[in-house]
Amino acid sequence: MARCAPCIRRVISPQLVWLLLFGCRMNLRVRENPWRLMLAVNVAVLIGVFLYKITREPYVPYIHLLVDYHFGFTKRALIGAVVSLFFSKVPVWLVFALSGGVWLVTLGLFVQLFRRTFGLDDAHMPLFVFMAGSPFFLKNFMHTLGHFDIYGCALAICLLLVPARSVAFVISAAIASMILILIHHIHFLMYVPTIAVIVVLRYYLVQGFARRNAIVGIAAALCVGLLFLAAQFWGTMAVPEAEFVRYLQSRMADPTRTSLLSFSYIWYQPLSREIQDTWERMPSNILGIPVFALLIWLHAPLWKYFVSLIRSLTEQLHRRIVIAAIVVVSLAYFVMFAMVFDYSRWISNWAVCMFLILHAVKTLPASQAVPLVSTDDRKTTIFGWIVTLIPRVGIV
């Protein structure tokens, strides 16, 4: 036995003892606070969604990297124009590399935003799980890699992080909105209204509606609106579709994969046709509404906190403006529902907009502290686990 002692001491080293104690401590923390385990499960789910996504053909995302301003002003062409500065031939893997990089940047921005607004301690962990772990948010952005929704979210988060002390903030928001419209004109309904809400809550409710501020705001809104009209009605291709497709094929790293150009028609499709397609799909799309309602209901603890946050605002005017802002953003999505049939994307981005508006509301003066989402409530914990385990909402 004495001869075995040195061997035992070598096996049971101080490092191993430390690891065992640390593991016991972490296990105890998980039992006491399951919300951190939910974060770990969310990471695993995200990895699974990513592995699934990279096996799929990126039809729509890839063609958007090929389209630039070769034939003049064109809608949905800004990202492709930027890509053309660096790649004469666009490989398919660039879809996942570029969109994956943007996803990681968005994740980092949101973590920084949440840390600054709330903090990342255990008390705020349920709020973080219901937002960051929501199937509406980062997990769905992972599923929609290559689509341009995430750019609107990222720029909106940037506007929540930067200082809002001068009229330069309004101008920056207008420039961000115009960039989004050049990326994809659907942003005019998807994220530009939320950006406008952020500007009102962070700048105008603090600095006031002085004459100069109002003039800059009106001018910015007019510029954004005019650019949207130009993209919507004058951004259609002026050349025959066959010529357009030949040009796109010349930019492909592998021109034989012609199936990736099957969505070229969307640069020729008029708005009336998009609306017609949407209403033809309406019977099947309506069947998804109960599912969307269920997913929204699963976030009930978060919505209750949001309502309490609005009620706690010191100024009644602030409360009315916040409610009006939520209605306006929701109406923009209602219009989108009537025009384009990607319902799963729209409902997901609507929820993300609500998350971002919640952060903006938190910066307004409050008359009382708002109770946080409970870490011990059994029903809330069950909802948290369900939200965690749902991998995504989808695209259509």
Side-chain angles (χ1 to χ4, degrees):
M1 190 71 180
R3 281 180 290 184
C4 295
C7 299
I8 295 172
R9 280 197 297 270
R10 281 196 296 270
V11 174
I12 307 178
S13 62
Q15 291 82 1
L16 180 59
V17 172
W18 185 87
L19 285 173
L20 289 171
L21 291 174
F22 180 76
C24 292
R25 182 183 175 189
M26 287 300 295
N27 188 43
L28 182 61
R29 290 188 67 183
V30 166
R31 287 182 185 177
E32 293 176 349
N33 188 355
W35 299 95
R36 290 187 177 273
L37 180 59
M38 292 181 202
L39 287 181
V41 173
N42 270 298
V43 172
V45 172
L46 278 166
I47 293 172
V49 174
F50 175 74
L51 293 175
Y52 167 79
K53 185 63 181 180
I54 61 176
T55 64
R56 317 301 293 176
E57 290 281 12
Y59 293 107
V60 176
Y62 181 65
I63 195 172
H64 277 85
L65 299 188
L66 302 175
V67 179
D68 55 17
Y69 297 118
H70 178 78
F71 295 109
F73 179 70
T74 307
K75 60 184 178 181
R76 308 183 182 196
L78 181 60
I79 297 295
V82 173
V83 168
S84 68
L85 299 176
F86 303 95
F87 294 87
S88 57
K89 300 289 185 178
V90 181
V92 176
W93 60 258
L94 187 62
V95 172
F96 302 105
L98 178 61
S99 56
V102 174
W103 187 93
L104 288 172
V105 168
T106 304
L107 169 63
L109 288 171
F110 180 75
V111 170
Q112 177 61 24
L113 174 65
F114 192 92
R115 177 184 290 143
R116 198 176 76 174
T117 307
F118 298 104
L120 289 172
D121 55 357
D122 287 345
H124 292 93
M125 203 51 61
L127 272 178
F128 189 73
V129 168
F130 276 110
M131 291 189 204
S134 170
F136 291 130
F137 190 17
L138 294 169
K139 287 184 287 194
N140 210 60
F141 280 146
M142 182 65 78
H143 180 69
T144 59
L145 278 179
H147 289 78
F148 295 148
D149 313 359
I150 195 170
Y151 288 91
C153 175
L155 287 176
I157 294 175
C158 287
L159 290 170
L160 286 167
L161 287 170
V162 299
R165 292 188 290 266
S166 72
V167 76
F169 180 74
V170 181
I171 297 172
S172 299
I175 293 172
S177 299
M178 296 171 80
I179 290 172
L180 289 175
I181 290 171
L182 291 175
I183 290 175
H184 197 311
H185 53 289
I186 198 71
H187 276 297
F188 184 75
L189 294 172
M190 190 160 50
Y191 277 99
V192 169
T194 299
I195 288 175
V197 169
I198 292 170
V199 170
V200 170
L201 299 186
R202 293 201 64 216
Y203 179 75
Y204 284 104
L205 291 189
V206 177
Q207 303 296 332
F209 293 87
R211 184 176 180 179
R212 188 187 70 159
N213 294 348
I215 291 173
V216 171
I218 293 170
L222 286 174
C223 290
V224 172
L226 289 173
L227 180 61
F228 166 72
L229 292 175
Q232 176 64 58
F233 297 106
W234 291 286
T236 306
M237 281 291 168
V239 299
E241 187 174 353
E243 182 180 351
F244 175 54
V245 170
R246 281 196 299 272
Y247 172 71
L248 297 183
Q249 196 169 8
S250 71
R251 294 203 60 211
M252 298 176 68
D254 183 1
T256 62
R257 301 182 66 177
T258 54
S259 62
L260 292 173
L261 303 178
S262 59
F263 283 85
S264 60
Y265 69 89
I266 60 181
W267 276 268
Y268 293 86
Q269 186 169 261
L271 180 61
S272 58
R273 179 61 185 173
E274 291 183 2
I275 296 174
Q276 181 182 343
D277 288 347
T278 299
W279 284 89
E280 286 176 353
R281 294 172 179 245
M282 191 64 72
S284 60
N285 280 340
I286 289 176
L287 295 176
I289 291 178
V291 179
F292 299 145
L294 174 62
L295 290 172
I296 293 171
W297 176 70
L298 288 171
H299 293 71
L302 178 63
W303 306 135
K304 290 177 181 177
Y305 174 80
F306 195 5
V307 171
S308 299
L309 199 63
I310 296 171
R311 288 175 176 169
S312 73
L313 295 178
T314 304
E315 300 289 338
Q316 185 177 8
L317 176 63
H318 291 183
R319 291 195 293 272
R320 290 176 177 174
I321 289 176
V322 169
I323 294 170
I326 292 172
V327 171
V328 169
V329 170
S330 301
L331 285 176
Y333 275 91
F334 183 78
V335 173
M336 207 156 37
F337 266 60
M339 295 173 63
V340 189
F341 55 78
D342 293 357
Y343 279 15
S344 297
R345 284 172 63 195
W346 308 155
I347 197 68
S348 298
N349 283 285
W350 171 84
V352 172
C353 288
M354 294 300 108
F355 299 166
L356 300 182
I357 293 174
L358 186 154
H359 280 81
V361 172
K362 186 67 171 66
T363 64
L364 296 174
S367 59
Q368 59 185 10
V370 177
L372 297 175
V373 177
S374 174
T375 58
D376 302 321
D377 181 70
R378 185 170 179 270
K379 182 178 178 181
T380 301
T381 304
I382 292 172
F383 280 11
W385 274 116
I386 297 174
V387 165
T388 293
L389 294 172
I390 298 175
R392 44 85 175 177
V393 180
I395 297 174
V396 180

